Amino acid sequence: MMDDLDLGFDEQDRGEKGKHRRGAVRKRKEGSGGGGRGKTVLALLLAVVLLGAIGGGAFYGFDRVQSYFVTPDYDGAGTGEVTVEIKQGALIADMANALVAADVVKSAKAFIEAAEGNARSKNIQPGTYKLRKQMSGESAVTAMLDLKNRIVNGVTIPEGRTAKNVYQLLSKETKIPVKDFEAAAKDPIARGVPDWWFKRTDNKKVKPSIEGFLYPDTYEIPPKATAETIIELMVENFLSVTSEMQFADRVQKERKISPYEALIVASLAQAEAGNKDDLGKVARVAYNRVFGEFDCNCLEMDVTVNYYLELTGQKTKTSGQMTAADLDNPKNPYNRKLPGLVPTPINNPGKQAMEGAMDPPPGKWLFFVAIDKEGHSAFAETYEEHLKNEAKAKENGII
């Protein structure tokens, strides 16, 4: 192409070598029938157009190319104020996306790179943060590691609390009326509990209840939370924990019962075991009584009676305070003498109780009684052994 261009140099400046070369060029042009000059003009025109285009769009093009190599990021500590919620179980990428959506950082990559460069970033906790808009990724990471920027509105739900008790705890901390939580919980499926959870292998009809699905944990309550969103947060946590445990799969495969029935057993163990060491053993007793060789195939656990008393607005009682009418009320669907498992869980069990129901230790125990002040129980296969354990408990001043 360069041979076809007459650049206008003087022949005397070229020397002999230049003369021969220029002659060769002219010879080709002469053989071309005059088309070479047209090509030269066209090339020059294209060059002008190209240069014009570059001049008009150079910055735009450079900016696009640069974005492939340079991480889009804001400068400095940002301005204004914005609150951002980081959900339970969020990964760094999830946090980055939440910050981009709130215009805290310019790109997810900016935050991720800053987090990767800060060894303390793994300490960023779920919760609600008070941040600024248009912060650099590095500034955002630093701000989220500063506890002053974390809006602390934590509520701790202990293991084994009933739904009614959970509502009272939540209402006290959030100022949301108990009746709002009760209304929100009426339809547990709408709150996120999959409908397959409400199935049983014993053919007993299930009326969906939120009981058992309000996972005990410490929750950061967002400033504008409602009763519905708080319950959904707890249900989501329950589903996450049980999925990680493979709870549903394992109880169906290993226990040959439905996940809901195993959840009921977990709640019984949570209520009856005075020590975490005994959660699995109490679960085994419940299985042995209902599915084993217990005379009535019933639970005969006083905790089910107390659940009914609380459910119906009555005061709960110790075993010694319970009357015959309390123990064997025919109107009570949680009657301790009714065969099979009770209609629903009787509280919201923790992970260890669910592990105990999912994988209880082997044993033929049918009876148990607390025997020390630490809450440990003695377990027995026969009633005669149980009576000896009761005597021991009396000696220790437990009963």
Side-chain angles (χ1 to χ4, degrees), residues 47-291:
V48 170
V49 172
L50 179 60
L51 288 170
I54 291 175
F59 288 105
Y60 172 73
F62 177 75
D63 185 60
R64 291 196 64 186
V65 172
Q66 186 185 43
S67 69
Y68 286 103
F69 301 99
V70 179
T71 300
D73 199 1
Y74 292 126
D75 291 323
T79 59
E81 190 176 280
V82 64
T83 56
V84 180
E85 181 189 356
I86 302 300
K87 294 187 176 181
Q88 194 82 19
L91 303 175
I92 289 295
D94 300 320
M95 296 180 191
N97 290 333
L99 295 175
V100 170
D103 195 27
V104 172
V105 295
K106 193 170 187 179
S107 68
K109 190 178 178 185
F111 181 78
I112 292 169
E113 287 182 354
E116 288 174 346
N118 189 326
R120 293 181 58 234
S121 64
K122 62 181 181 295
N123 296 325
I124 297 176
Q125 300 294 315
T128 303
Y129 290 83
K130 192 179 292 183
L131 302 170
R132 293 179 177 178
K133 286 196 171 188
Q134 300 188 355
M135 306 176 77
S136 69
E138 185 178 353
S139 295
V141 170
T142 302
M144 293 179 75
L145 287 168
D146 187 344
L147 295 179
K148 292 178 183 177
N149 295 319
R150 191 162 177 253
I151 301 172
V152 179
N153 189 18
V155 182
T156 298
I157 307 299
E159 292 95 339
R161 296 298 179 96
T162 62
K164 286 177 72 71
N165 190 268
V166 169
Y167 302 153
Q168 291 166 4
L169 288 172
L170 292 172
S171 180
K172 182 180 178 181
E173 295 295 331
T174 65
K175 310 307 178 188
I176 299 172
V178 168
K179 64 180 182 180
D180 288 7
F181 288 103
E182 292 173 338
K186 281 186 177 179
D187 186 352
I189 295 174
R191 300 284 76 81
V193 182
D195 58 0
W196 57 261
W197 267 95
F198 299 109
K199 297 185 185 302
R200 300 176 62 137
T201 59
D202 60 7
N203 297 320
K204 286 189 177 181
K205 188 176 180 180
V206 179
K207 182 180 179 181
S209 166
I210 201 68
E211 198 76 78
F213 299 98
L214 302 176
Y215 187 72
D217 204 344
T218 297
Y219 293 90
E220 292 292 338
I221 307 299
K224 296 181 181 179
T226 63
E228 287 84 358
T229 60
I230 293 172
I231 289 177
E232 287 166 7
L233 179 65
M234 299 178 78
V235 168
E236 182 181 356
N237 198 10
F238 170 87
L239 295 174
S240 177
V241 171
T242 52
S243 175
E244 186 178 335
M245 293 169 60
Q246 297 184 314
F247 183 83
D249 292 337
R250 286 191 61 184
V251 298
Q252 290 177 97
K253 183 179 179 180
E254 298 170 22
R255 304 270 73 80
K256 308 300 181 186
I257 58 175
S258 73
Y260 194 60
E261 289 166 309
L263 184 61
I264 292 171
V265 171
S267 74
L268 295 169
Q270 190 76 74
E272 286 282 10
N275 189 287
K276 290 182 178 181
D277 296 340
D278 292 335
L279 287 166
K281 288 183 177 180
V282 174
R284 174 59 71 185
V285 170
Y287 287 132
N288 289 345
R289 287 186 179 183
V290 171
F291 301 111

Side-chain angles (χ1 to χ4, degrees), residues 329-348:
N329 180 357
K331 294 182 180 179
N332 177 7
Y334 296 85
N335 189 310
R336 61 200 291 274
K337 287 287 187 180
L338 290 176
L341 291 171
V342 289
T344 68
I346 62 169
N347 58 47
N348 295 278

Side-chain angles (χ1 to χ4, degrees), residues 24-60:
V25 171
R26 283 179 175 172
K27 190 173 184 179
R28 280 200 300 272
K29 285 181 179 179
E30 289 169 3
S32 65
R37 184 166 298 279
K39 289 181 180 180
T40 300
V41 173
L42 178 61
L44 288 170
L45 286 171
L46 288 173
V48 170
V49 172
L50 179 60
L51 288 170
I54 291 175
F59 288 105
Y60 172 73

